[in-house]
Amino acid sequence: MSTKEHGPRVGLGVYIFNDKNEILIGKRIGKHGFATYAPPGGHLEFGESIEECAARETLEETGITIKNITVAGVTNDIYSEDKHYITIAVTALWAGGEVQIMEPNKCEKWEWVKWEDFPENLFLSVANFRKQTKELRP
């Protein structure tokens, strides 16, 4: 859906930390953001809290549960394909489960990476968040 006529949508990116202070990121293979890296995330649904959205999207995409969800920042992301998102970045701690590819049509792989070692080809909201956030901690 183009947001050009409807205004921006609200997206969420969940920066999940493991016990090694690494963050879970995946390589996107869906049409929107193909071949870029991003943490789990998605759309905030009507009536849903930020914490509920973060937990739901993480479980749907990775099969893991999270805790200690905290808002870390907000970005204004205007994509070339007439999509406009206000993206809420949250941090969380991995609480349990084994990371799996739950949506193989959207994600090629998941990997744990240090904040300073993120790859260059980042999803726009992630690139924008990194520009405003030099250091990220859980």
Side-chain angles (χ1 to χ4, degrees):
M1 173 180 96
S2 169
T3 56
K4 198 172 189 179
E5 299 83 27
H6 304 287
R9 297 187 71 187
V10 178
L12 197 80
V14 188
Y15 295 83
I16 304 160
F17 287 84
N18 64 14
D19 58 359
K20 297 176 186 173
N21 209 33
E22 298 167 323
I23 300 166
L24 186 65
I25 60 171
K27 186 174 183 184
R28 299 173 65 99
I29 56 174
K31 184 178 175 185
H32 184 50
F34 179 79
T36 60
Y37 285 86
H43 298 104
L44 183 68
E45 294 181 356
F46 182 82
E48 187 175 46
S49 73
I50 291 168
E51 295 79 10
E52 289 167 340
C53 179
R56 174 184 56 77
E57 288 287 358
T58 298
L59 186 62
E60 286 175 2
E61 294 182 14
T62 70
I64 66 172
T65 58
I66 57 175
K67 62 184 179 182
N68 298 4
I69 301 163
T70 305
V71 173
V74 176
T75 57
N76 182 30
D77 309 306
I78 302 169
Y79 295 85
S80 60
E81 61 267 18
D82 284 339
K83 291 180 186 272
H84 183 180
Y85 282 87
I86 302 302
T87 307
I88 303 166
V90 301
T91 59
L93 298 177
W94 171 70
E98 186 175 327
V99 176
Q100 304 168 57
I101 298 172
M102 304 294 288
E103 298 176 328
N105 59 326
K106 295 181 182 177
C107 182
E108 179 181 306
K109 64 180 178 177
W110 292 110
E111 57 187 287
W112 295 100
V113 179
K114 295 271 188 191
W115 176 252
E116 58 272 12
D117 297 329
F118 270 31
E120 293 291 320
N121 52 329
L122 297 173
F123 192 55
L124 180 62
S125 62
V126 180
N128 288 343
F129 182 57
R130 283 182 60 83
K131 284 177 191 171
Q132 70 187 35
T133 309
K134 299 304 175 203
E135 184 178 35
L136 189 64
R137 301 225 177 265

